[in-house]
Amino acid sequence: MTDDTPLDEFFDAIQQLGQPVLTAEELARVLDCSQEEADRRLSELAEAGTVGRRDVERDPVVWYPVEWDRHARRERVVTFPNRRELVVSHPEQFTRARLSTFAYLVDSNGTSDSIYRIREEDVWGAPYDDLADLLVALRRVTGGRYEGLEEWIERQWKRARQFTLRTHEDGYTVLAADSESLMGNVARQALGEEQLHAPISDTESWVREGSEGEIKRLLYDEGYPVRDARELDTGDPLEIDLALELRDYQQEWVDRFAERKAGVLVGPPGSGKTVAGMGAMAAVGGETLVLVPSRELASQWRESLLENTSLGPDEVGEYHGGTKEIRPVTIATYQTAGMERHRRLFDERRWGLIVYDEAHHIPAPIFRQSADLQSKHRLGLSATPVRESDDEAEIFTLIGPPIGTDWSALFEAGYVMEPDVEIRYVPWASEAAESEYDGALGHERRQVAASNPAKLDEIRHLLEEHEGEKTLLFVDWLEQGKEYAEALDVPFLSGETRYAKRERLLSEFRHGARDVLLVSRVGDEGIDLPAATVAIVASGLGGSRRQGSQRAGRTMRPVGGAQVYMLATRGTEEEEFVRDQLRHLQGKGVNVIEADAETA
C-alpha cells in the first residue's frame, strides 16, 4: 500500500477478499506486509475519515469504508461475484443505465452508494439479443471479467431458453424442451392433463388449447421461463394509417414487437408509449382490444386514436360502466373485461392484438382473466412494472418479455427530460406536532407525519422559488388537500371533482392559463395529467414504488429542466418510505439527492 494510493489499495483488498469489511491480519496477508504495518495504515485512513473501525468478537477490530470515495467523488464499482452483488460509489449516468438492464437496485443511501444484485429474473428478462451483448454490458460496468459470475449468468441465459411454445404445422400448439430430461423431469412433472394432451415425442408435448398462459406461469415457478414462438392470430383485418411520424426509438420498439409478437414496452413517462402502441396496431393490421384501468383513460385513448390515425368514429368504441360499444378497435376497462358476463362478447370477436395499458395491473386477481387471450399479439405498456407483492415477473410471463428498457438513451437524446429528484427533510413545526406523532399508531401515525404543518411553509417557499413554472402538487389525504387548496389559493383535483370541472382544470393547466394544480392520488394513474416542469409530493410516501415513479414521471417531458421534490418529515417513517418509493427510479438511472428543507 503506497502513500499516494492508500484508499485505492484498501478497496482493492476488500474486493480481492470478496467481502465489504476486513481485519488488519487479512489486509497484511493481501499486501504481504506485517500486521503492525497494516494496522498503522488502516489507522491513518481512519483518521482521514475514509475508513471506519468496529470491535467484534471474532477479531479485535474490523475495518470498513465510511463513505466510498467521499473526497475524490469519482465512480468506483466493487464487485462481489460470489454474492452476485455490485457496490457502486458515485455512479455515473452510463453505469446506472447499464445496470438497470441486468441488475436490481437493492439499496441506495440517496447520496453516493448503491448496492445492485443480479438475480435470475434479471438475466431472464435482460433486453439483449444474445448472451455476448449482455456480458459486454456487464464487463463495461465491472471493468473486468469474473469467470464464476459470467458462468452463472450464462447458465441462467440458457435456462430461459430451454422451453418453447411453437405452432405445429397442423395448427395446434406444441411445448418443446431442449432435452428428454427437461421434458420428463420438469415439464411433465409440473404440468398435468389440464395443460397437456399427450406426448408427441421425448422432447415435445401437445398443448391443450387455452392453457398456454397457465403453462408459462407454472414453468416459470419451476425456474424455467418459456419462449413463446407461436404463430399468433392477426384477427380480422383492419387497416390503420398513422397521422404522425414515429421517433427512431419508437419505431425500434414497434419493429422489435412485430418480430416478437408479444412484449411489454417499458419506458419512462413522456416517452410516447401510447404512440408506439398505435404504431404496433398499424403493424399488426388487425382488430384490436385495448385494456385500460379507468374509463377516463378509455376516453383519452379514443381521442388519441381519432386524432392520430386514419380510424373513424364508427371504428373506435368504448366498453365500460358508462358506455358499451364493441367496434373494430374497442377500449375496455380491465374490471369490465374480466367480468364473466361480458367475456363472451370479447371472445366472439377475432382480435389480432390486445394492448394492456398500465400493464402492472395484470397480476391482480380481478384482472388476470383478461390475460387468458394468449393466442393474440400482446402488447403491454408501463413505465413502472413493479408491484409491492413482488410478482411483477408475471407481467412479462403473461404478456411477453420487456422491450425498450434503456431509459438513459432517451434522456441523453433529449426525447425525455431526466428530472432532478430531491428528497427534502422537513422538521416538525412544533413540539406539540411531534408529540402527536409519538403518541399515534399505524395509519394515524403516517397521516400525522404526512400532515406536518411545516410542510406547508416549505411548499410556499418552493412555489415562490418556481413562480411561473407549471407545478403539480400531490397529496394523499383529502382533508390535507382541501386545507392546502384554501391556504395556497389553488384548485384541488380529487376523486370528488366532477368530470366537467376536472377536464376544465386540466385544460387550463395544459394550455398555460393555470400554473399550479393540487392533485390527490387520482392523478397517479387513470387520468392523463398534463406535463409539468415541477412536481412537489407533500404526502403519500407510504405508497408504492410505482406511485413514486408515476408522480416523478409527470415531469419527464422534453421541456427543459425538470425538478421533483419529495417532502418527508425528519425522524419519521417517511424517511425510509421515500427512499424505498424512489428505488425503482434510481434503478432506471435517475439520480436522487437528499437535503434539508430550506425553511428549516
Side-chain angles (χ1 to χ4, degrees), residues 49 82 127 209 214 230 260 303 318 336 367 372 403 425 526:
N82 292 337
E209 185 177 358
E214 186 68 14
R230 291 172 294 152
R260 298 182 179 182
E303 292 173 7
E318 297 180 49
T336 302
F367 298 139
D372 291 337
I403 299 172
Y425 294 111

Side-chain angles (χ1 to χ4, degrees), residues 157-418:
W157 180 272
K158 291 179 178 178
R159 190 182 186 94
R161 288 153 179 80
Q162 291 179 314
F163 285 103
T164 303
L165 286 171
R166 61 176 180 81
T167 303
H168 191 272
E169 60 182 13
D170 291 333
Y172 57 83
T173 301
V174 173
L175 175 67
D178 278 1
S179 68
E180 296 179 22
S181 175
L182 283 169
M183 179 56 72
N185 297 329
V186 178
R188 290 175 184 157
Q189 296 298 317
L191 306 174
E193 294 181 356
E194 298 84 358
Q195 294 84 35
L196 301 178
H197 274 297
I200 299 174
S201 69
D202 290 337
T203 59
E204 296 176 312
S205 291
W206 180 9
V207 172
R208 286 191 182 276
E209 185 177 358
S211 67
E212 292 86 357
E214 186 68 14
I215 287 173
K216 287 190 281 185
R217 283 196 296 268
L218 291 171
L219 287 181
Y220 193 97
D221 289 343
E222 295 295 319
Y224 291 90
V226 178
R227 288 189 301 164
D228 194 339
R230 291 172 294 152
E231 297 174 8
L232 299 181
D233 188 1
T234 57
D236 287 332
L238 178 65
E239 185 174 342
I240 302 175
D241 295 323
L242 294 182
L244 46 75
E245 187 173 346
L246 297 178
R247 295 169 177 169
D248 290 343
Y249 69 87
Q250 291 170 330
Q251 186 62 58
E252 181 182 345
W253 287 350
V254 172
D255 292 343
R256 292 182 67 185
F257 171 74
E259 178 183 352
R260 298 182 179 182
K261 303 176 183 178
V264 181
L265 293 186
V266 183
S271 57
K273 294 182 294 297
T274 301
V275 172
M278 291 188 282
M281 292 170 61
V284 172
E287 295 198 356
T288 300
L289 174 62
V290 180
L291 297 175
V292 297
S294 71
R295 65 174 66 183
E296 285 84 1
L297 274 183
S299 298
Q300 290 161 17
W301 257 93
R302 186 174 191 275
E303 292 173 7
S304 294
L305 286 167
L306 295 178
E307 180 181 352
N308 298 305
T309 73
S310 59
L311 295 170
D314 59 338
E315 295 176 294
V316 183
E318 297 180 49
Y319 199 99
H320 45 69
T323 305
K324 291 181 173 61
E325 305 166 331
I326 298 289
R327 302 279 173 78
V329 174
T330 299
I331 308 146
T333 59
Y334 284 104
Q335 188 160 359
T336 302
M339 293 179 181
E340 194 63 37
R341 65 178 182 271
H342 300 298
R343 280 290 307 280
R344 180 178 55 81
L345 293 173
F346 295 115
D347 291 343
E348 288 175 353
R349 199 91 187 191
R350 289 195 64 243
W351 309 111
L353 171 64
I354 313 296
V355 177
Y356 301 87
D357 198 8
E358 305 289 357
H360 44 268
H361 286 291
I362 288 297
I366 194 170
F367 298 139
R368 283 180 60 172
Q369 294 181 58
S370 64
D372 291 337
L373 299 165
Q374 286 287 309
S375 63
K376 319 297 181 184
H377 292 72
R378 301 178 306 281
L379 176 65
L381 307 176
S382 182
T384 51
V386 292
R387 291 173 51 79
E388 300 317 297
S389 52
D390 289 328
D391 59 359
E392 57 260 27
E394 284 200 13
I395 299 169
F396 303 126
T397 302
L398 294 168
I399 302 176
I403 299 172
T405 56
D406 188 356
W407 290 27
S408 67
L410 308 188
F411 292 152
E412 293 169 1
Y415 288 122
V416 180
M417 178 56 59
E418 176 185 5

Side-chain angles (χ1 to χ4, degrees), residues 103-137:
Y104 173 74
L105 179 64
V106 176
D107 195 16
S108 174
N109 64 10
T111 54
S112 60
D113 304 336
S114 299
I115 300 174
Y116 288 85
R117 181 176 298 130
I118 305 175
R119 306 169 302 175
E120 293 176 340
E121 57 264 41
D122 298 320
V123 178
W124 297 345
Y128 295 95
D129 292 330
D130 54 55
L131 175 64
D133 291 339
L134 171 56
L135 295 179
V136 167

Side-chain angles (χ1 to χ4, degrees), residues 402-600:
I403 299 172
T405 56
D406 188 356
W407 290 27
S408 67
L410 308 188
F411 292 152
E412 293 169 1
Y415 288 122
V416 180
M417 178 56 59
E418 176 185 5
D420 294 321
V421 180
E422 182 176 319
I423 303 172
R424 286 270 178 113
Y425 294 111
V426 182
W428 283 108
S430 64
E431 290 185 5
E434 186 173 7
S435 296
E436 183 183 1
Y437 174 81
D438 292 337
L441 296 172
H443 178 77
E444 182 184 356
R445 188 178 179 89
R446 290 196 300 273
Q447 188 168 359
V448 172
S451 304
N452 175 10
K455 288 186 178 182
L456 187 56
D457 293 333
E458 185 66 15
I459 290 168
R460 286 195 179 98
H461 169 77
L462 292 172
L463 291 177
E464 182 178 343
E465 184 177 324
H466 294 281
E467 185 177 1
E469 298 183 50
K470 295 176 70 173
T471 303
L472 289 172
L473 173 59
F474 292 94
V475 295
D476 247 28
W477 317 104
L478 287 177
E479 290 304 316
Q480 184 184 22
K482 293 173 182 177
E483 176 191 343
Y484 282 11
E486 182 177 351
L488 301 171
D489 192 25
V490 296
F492 179 39
L493 194 158
S494 73
E496 297 178 350
T497 308
R498 291 184 178 276
Y499 181 79
K501 183 178 180 181
R502 179 187 299 181
E503 290 301 299
R504 176 175 59 80
L505 291 175
L506 292 173
S507 177
E508 289 174 354
F509 188 85
R510 183 178 290 111
H511 296 104
R514 189 175 296 280
D515 292 332
V516 181
L517 195 59
L518 180 60
V519 187
S520 74
R521 66 174 63 190
V522 73
D524 294 337
E525 60 185 34
I527 63 172
D528 184 18
L529 281 178
T533 54
V534 180
I536 304 171
V537 180
S539 62
L541 303 182
S544 65
R545 290 168 287 168
R546 185 176 70 248
Q547 183 187 56
S549 299
Q550 291 280 1
R551 290 177 170 182
R554 299 307 182 182
T555 67
M556 291 188 191
R557 301 293 191 272
V559 291
Q563 181 72 52
V564 178
Y565 298 98
M566 311 285 284
L567 305 186
T569 299
R570 175 67 79 181
T572 70
E573 295 171 340
E574 284 192 328
E575 290 190 11
E576 183 57 33
F577 281 146
V578 69
R579 294 191 188 104
D580 185 60
Q581 200 178 55
L582 293 175
R583 196 163 294 150
H584 174 72
L585 281 179
Q586 289 179 288
K588 286 299 184 183
V590 175
N591 191 38
V592 177
I593 62 174
E594 300 180 23
D596 288 324
E598 296 286 342
T599 55

